[in-house]
Amino acid sequence: MTTFEHPTATNPPERAPHGDGWRLFRGDGERRDVDFPDAPPWRRFDRPASQTGAKVPYPRPYLIGPDEADVVNAALHLRRPLLVTGQPGTGKSSLAHAIAHELGLGRVLQWPVNSRSTLQDALYQYDAVGRLREATLPRDGDGTEPDIGQYIQLGPLGNALVHRERPRVLLVDELDKGDVDLPNDLLTVFEEGEFVIPELARLPRDHAPVHVQTDDPDRPAPVERGHVRCAEFPVVIITSNGEREFPPAFLRRCIRLDLPEPDERRLRDIVAAHLGDTALDEVDDLLETFLERRAAGELATDQLLNAVFLRKGGVNLDAGALLQAVLHRLGGAV
């Protein structure tokens, strides 16, 4: 069995020279320090923090046709959720970030839905066990009990409904993966724009507003008598991959937007927006291969961006195995 020794002061690891090809990993078992190249723009995480401590998102280039943009505007004017459907990679989730960026609405609140997601978790969570534990500990010098607001954390939907002059953007991602009753559970909240936190509603009438925790660091939200009600309905973007149908009552309250797969001209515009105009040089073969494979099965636009990024970095994508790994089909068994 082969063993690998850790480097020591007398046996430092080999250092790969800068620009020594694109192969960071060589599979030869030799230890070496490497200089990592710049990541693709869409895979960078060294985002600066805002004054509130929240991460500031990178502006994401996003291209959409005028007809689709008009549907988005209709949802904004009507204050209705926008139900976005389309094939994987057509930009359903990215649309929420594009709207937030263009309209200056701050960081997107995200609710990734799965089979265990509930309306309760999306609205708020109450740490009853933590509050009970604190209640049994010795009091501070003045004998005061910790405020109940310290044990209530608003979820993404609850945070979106906090009273504000300008709305927040809420991304409800892949609602079709949730429980079959979840769309119906959302109807009342979306229709009324409010919800109640029973733990706070039971407090005495003369109790001061309680400041509950949000996912915005150091920015608790005041809640009076347990009622959270929005001043402006949030910009709600709901995505679906079409894995199942939604009830008519839910669909009636949404504006529908089906994002088409981008054609060759739009693909070229997307590549240029993310990687610059020079990225379009000598990529005709990649575009042709991408369109051929997309016609035969599911492919996502970001797979094309991955291929162009590697080509731009000097990687030979003519090798069948590597190109197949980058432009692999999304449907079917793996």
Side-chain angles (χ1 to χ4, degrees):
M1 181 176 65
T2 303
T3 60
F4 297 92
E5 297 181 357
H6 291 284
T8 63
T10 58
N11 184 28
E14 174 190 352
R15 183 171 184 83
H18 184 72
D20 184 29
W22 74 286
R23 291 182 173 87
L24 307 179
F25 171 74
R26 302 183 187 179
D28 56 10
E30 295 293 331
R31 287 289 300 273
R32 57 179 62 86
D33 288 338
V34 299
D35 293 325
F36 273 77
D38 292 337
W42 53 90
R43 293 297 297 168
R44 295 174 185 168
F45 304 97
D46 55 338
R47 296 172 292 180
S50 67
Q51 294 180 351
T52 64
K55 292 293 185 180
V56 178
Y58 285 118
R60 304 185 182 189
Y62 190 84
L63 301 179
I64 190 172
D67 292 340
E68 291 79 18
D70 285 346
V71 176
V72 174
N73 283 303
L76 295 175
H77 281 277
L78 295 172
R79 271 54 168 194
R80 288 291 187 183
L82 182 67
L83 177 59
V84 187
T85 57
Q87 294 294 328
T90 51
K92 298 187 295 295
S93 300
S94 299
L95 177 58
H97 297 275
I99 294 173
H101 172 64
E102 284 196 22
L103 303 184
L105 299 179
R107 181 173 52 87
V108 174
L109 301 171
Q110 301 189 56
W111 179 19
V113 176
N114 57 50
S115 60
R116 299 178 298 278
S117 297
T118 66
L119 175 61
Q120 172 69 44
D121 291 338
L123 292 176
Y124 78 98
Q125 293 182 345
Y126 173 52
D127 185 8
V129 174
R131 190 183 184 204
L132 178 62
R133 181 172 58 249
E134 291 290 337
T136 60
L137 296 177
R139 295 284 185 268
D140 295 333
D142 56 3
T144 58
E145 184 178 348
D147 187 84
I148 186 175
Q150 299 181 23
Y151 307 99
I152 294 178
Q153 173 78 44
L154 295 183
L157 177 54
N159 201 1
L161 293 174
V162 167
H163 190 282
R164 299 183 181 91
E165 293 184 2
R166 288 175 61 79
R168 292 290 295 272
V169 177
L170 170 67
L171 172 61
V172 184
D173 208 11
E174 299 187 337
L175 181 60
D176 51 328
K177 292 186 179 298
D179 184 82
V180 65
D181 292 326
L182 186 56
N184 282 327
D185 294 340
L186 290 168
L187 290 180
T188 300
V189 175
F190 282 163
E191 196 67 18
E192 303 298 333
E194 67 177 350
F195 69 98
V196 176
I197 303 177
E199 291 82 2
L200 301 183
R202 292 192 291 263
L203 296 175
R205 286 185 173 273
D206 58 350
H207 197 284
V210 176
H211 287 75
V212 301
Q213 306 304 306
T214 71
D215 62 356
D216 295 320
D218 303 321
R219 296 187 64 179
V223 177
E224 187 172 357
R225 297 286 301 147
H227 286 76
V228 178
R229 182 180 180 86
C230 63
E232 283 286 347
F233 189 74
V235 180
V236 180
I237 309 299
I238 304 171
T239 70
S240 170
N241 291 322
E243 294 188 4
R244 62 176 176 81
E245 297 181 355
F246 295 120
F250 176 80
L251 294 176
R252 180 172 63 85
R253 290 166 170 82
C254 296
I255 303 297
R256 298 283 301 274
L257 172 62
D258 185 60
L259 291 179
E261 292 183 323
D263 57 16
E264 181 177 351
R265 180 179 178 181
R266 181 60 55 79
L267 288 172
R268 290 181 179 275
D269 291 341
I270 292 173
V271 169
H274 283 82
L275 297 172
D277 292 334
T278 58
L280 293 174
D281 298 338
E282 300 180 357
V283 296
D284 291 348
D285 60 322
L286 289 181
L287 277 167
E288 182 179 355
T289 301
F290 176 83
L291 291 170
E292 289 177 355
R293 296 192 177 189
R294 192 180 70 178
E298 292 181 358
L299 283 183
T301 303
D302 58 352
Q303 292 176 278
L304 174 62
L305 291 174
N306 291 337
V308 175
F309 179 81
L310 290 176
R311 169 72 64 81
K312 186 179 178 182
V315 179
N316 178 18
L317 281 177
D318 296 332
L322 182 56
L323 185 61
Q324 176 65 28
V326 177
L327 298 183
H328 61 86
R329 289 183 57 184
L330 302 181
V334 177

